[in-house]
Amino acid sequence: MAPKNRIIIDTDPGVDDILALLLALSASPEELEVAMISVTYGNVPLQRCLRNVVAMFHVLEKEMNWRASNGKATYGALKAYKPIVAVGADHPLEDEELVADHFHGEDGLHGVHTAHPHLSPADTWRTLFGDKVEGPSDSEPPSFSRFFTPSKGPAHEEILRILREEPEDTITIVAVGPLTNVALAAAKDPETFLRVKELVVMGGAVHTIGNVTPVAEFNCMADAVAAARVYALTSKVPSSTMPPTIHGKSVLGAYPEKLPRQLKLSLFPLDLTTPHELHKAAFNQKIQPLLKAGSPLAQWTETFLNGTFNKIDSMLGEGHNEGLSLHDPLTIWYMLTRDHPEWKTVPKPEDIRVETTGQWTRGMHVIDKRGRAKPAEVDSTVETHPEDPMDAVTFDEVPGDEMGWLSLRRGNRINRLVSSPGQDAFAGILLDRIFAQN
């Protein structure tokens, strides 16, 4: 039976990124196929992110062997499919690199590689991606590499190849890191990129505070230009929301004037993701019996998740009631349950734009809160071009509205998620699935 959803995960692991990947790989083959893991920089530099992905497969091999010997359920999607792992951008399009190792730890997983060297693969895995390492060059590939296909090509080209070879509207991209890889793919071949079924983005803060500045969320702040370029593809006139060029020249250039269709972009901002929390007590209650039983995955995750909980404690002090926000895993839960009626978006797509040049507001998600009517929505006498109704709307231009906030043609069209099937239930569902209690 074909999977209900086929996805590419663009990620910068990172603690919650790893939880998202584990949730995806623990799905049943009928629920989800992970066709590709596209690795980018972000929470930590690129090579550390890649190491964390590879280490995850190393741990999962040990975990699946342990489960099989103990009569426990193994990961369905991990056994059924073999995702491509491709290495992407190591820096933003135009910004200085921004990392979050102050929160995720220097290696992205709170020192797990040092704490448990037996759960970290030998550096020879780097030869899988074309790197040279010290030691014999003719050594056998590591056994855990049977779970994925390493790519020696850049991630954005692999994204385009998959979208080109697969039927239109069958692949969804789930982007839970900076959008650099996605922007590179869209710039190189926008027509092929727009064959994507949906782009699911974890990023932004719309009606809430940011988590890296007062107004900006980390993923968007890390490459605001990439985010702005990707969001622009949701517009009927992408040029209307493209970021301004530097000295008259853009790093990637403009999109063609005519594109086959608009991008469907579903946004998971902090407004929705932050309240979906995993608490320390609930996690440790789940993990302790598995630690005693000898689960490699329990040992691995216990180290970096309790490292994260300890970091939160140190940041917020005694008496707080904050957990780890499950930002990235929430997007995977959406892919597993997207037909559930409690997944709700705003009534109609919103014109959300990304600030790319502000001194204090870079990465901010800007939305028009003035409540002014768009003339083309309320005037029944709107005239359109007979050959292309979207090409000329007589009453769509408003004097003084130079930025096109009151236009139906200009501006982005973002499907912002506003509710899930269970804010309080998700953490338990996540733990049950990852640790084979589903």
Side-chain angles (χ1 to χ4, degrees):
M1 182 177 179
K4 191 172 184 180
N5 290 295
R6 305 179 66 209
I7 65 173
I8 293 169
I9 303 177
D10 190 65
T11 178
D12 61 331
V15 172
D16 58 327
D17 302 73
I18 289 292
L19 293 179
L21 290 168
L22 291 172
L23 180 59
L25 295 170
S26 68
S28 72
E30 295 76 25
E31 287 179 311
L32 195 67
E33 175 190 350
V34 181
M36 176 181 169
I37 298 172
S38 165
V39 186
T40 185
Y41 70 93
N43 289 315
V44 289
L46 177 65
Q47 287 301 316
R48 296 177 194 174
C49 289
L50 177 61
R51 183 190 189 191
N52 291 341
V53 171
V54 174
M56 177 191 68
F57 283 108
H58 178 63
V59 172
L60 285 177
E61 179 185 52
K62 293 179 179 295
E63 176 73 6
M64 295 308 111
N65 291 338
W66 176 81
R67 291 189 185 187
S69 65
N70 285 274
K72 297 181 180 295
T74 54
Y75 279 15
L78 180 69
K79 292 173 62 178
Y81 308 113
K82 191 175 181 178
I84 294 165
V85 174
V87 187
D90 63 0
H91 61 84
L93 296 179
E94 297 179 11
D95 294 324
E96 295 295 325
E97 185 177 0
L98 174 71
V99 297
D101 54 3
H102 64 282
F103 183 79
H104 293 266
E106 187 176 346
D107 65 352
L109 295 175
H110 285 282
V112 73
H113 304 293
T114 301
H116 302 298
H118 67 291
L119 295 179
S120 293
D123 272 354
T124 52
W125 65 263
R126 296 186 183 278
T127 60
L128 297 171
F129 297 91
D131 293 341
K132 293 183 178 180
V133 298
E134 293 183 5
S137 59
D138 58 349
S139 58
E140 290 292 321
S143 58
F144 63 84
S145 66
R146 72 181 188 273
F147 291 123
F148 65 93
T149 301
S151 171
K152 293 182 174 65
H156 72 279
E157 292 187 1
E158 286 286 1
I159 291 172
L160 289 171
R161 182 188 62 78
I162 291 172
L163 292 175
R164 192 178 295 117
E165 293 177 358
E166 298 298 326
E168 189 173 24
D169 288 328
T170 59
I171 299 291
T172 294
I173 298 175
V174 181
V176 294
L179 288 174
T180 315
N181 288 341
V182 179
L184 289 168
K188 182 165 186 177
D189 188 346
E191 289 82 3
T192 295
F193 180 76
L194 289 172
R195 291 170 60 86
V196 72
K197 180 178 180 179
E198 181 180 8
L199 175 64
V200 176
V201 173
M202 189 280 119
V206 181
H207 297 294
T208 191
I209 58 174
N211 62 358
V212 67
T213 73
V215 295
E217 176 273 334
F218 176 83
N219 287 341
C220 190
M221 178 75 173
D223 197 341
V225 170
R229 289 185 61 93
V230 172
Y231 285 26
L233 287 172
T234 69
S235 176
K236 292 167 184 172
V237 185
S239 60
S240 66
T241 60
M242 286 282 276
T245 58
I246 298 176
H247 305 303
K249 183 178 180 181
S250 171
V251 171
L252 296 180
Y255 295 125
E257 289 187 13
K258 295 291 184 180
L259 290 170
R261 60 179 184 176
Q262 295 166 251
L263 172 67
K264 180 182 179 182
L265 192 156
S266 296
L267 183 67
F268 284 70
L270 296 182
D271 312 51
L272 177 64
T273 62
T274 298
H276 290 77
E277 293 181 327
L278 172 61
H279 288 269
K280 184 176 184 177
F283 171 71
N284 282 306
Q285 183 179 6
K286 171 70 72 175
I287 210 74
Q288 288 305 317
L290 295 169
L291 284 173
K292 292 177 181 178
S295 162
L297 183 61
Q299 187 178 35
W300 196 58
T301 55
E302 189 275 337
T303 297
F304 64 76
L305 279 172
N306 274 315
T308 304
F309 292 131
N310 292 338
K311 179 63 178 179
I312 294 171
D313 290 344
S314 71
M315 292 168 61
L316 300 180
E318 294 185 8
H320 75 87
N321 191 35
E322 302 293 323
L324 169 64
S325 292
L326 299 169
H327 305 295
D328 298 344
L330 195 65
T331 63
I332 302 299
W333 193 31
Y334 169 72
M335 296 307 306
L336 293 170
T337 62
R338 64 191 302 169
D339 294 333
H340 196 291
E342 290 304 311
W343 285 115
K344 295 186 190 312
T345 63
V346 288
K348 59 183 179 181
E350 295 176 325
D351 183 6
I352 301 174
R353 309 186 193 183
V354 178
E355 175 58 57
T356 60
T357 60
Q359 180 181 5
W360 311 117
T361 58
R362 192 174 185 86
M364 180 179 181
H365 278 46
V366 182
I367 190 168
D368 190 351
K369 301 178 183 179
R370 295 175 296 175
R372 296 179 61 183
K374 293 178 170 61
E377 286 183 330
V378 298
D379 196 322
S380 59
T381 64
V382 169
E383 298 177 7
T384 59
H385 193 288
E387 295 181 0
D388 185 355
M390 296 316 304
D391 195 42
V393 182
T394 303
F395 297 103
D396 198 41
E397 303 297 329
V398 179
D401 182 35
E402 298 301 325
M403 295 183 180
W405 288 104
L406 303 181
S407 167
L408 288 185
R409 298 177 63 240
R410 295 190 287 168
N412 297 327
R413 298 295 178 263
I414 307 295
N415 298 293
R416 178 169 62 89
L417 274 291
V418 295
S419 74
S420 77
Q423 177 177 305
D424 297 327
F426 178 47
I429 293 169
L430 175 77
L431 293 178
D432 285 347
R433 279 181 170 263
I434 288 177
F435 296 106
Q437 302 295 320
N438 53 324

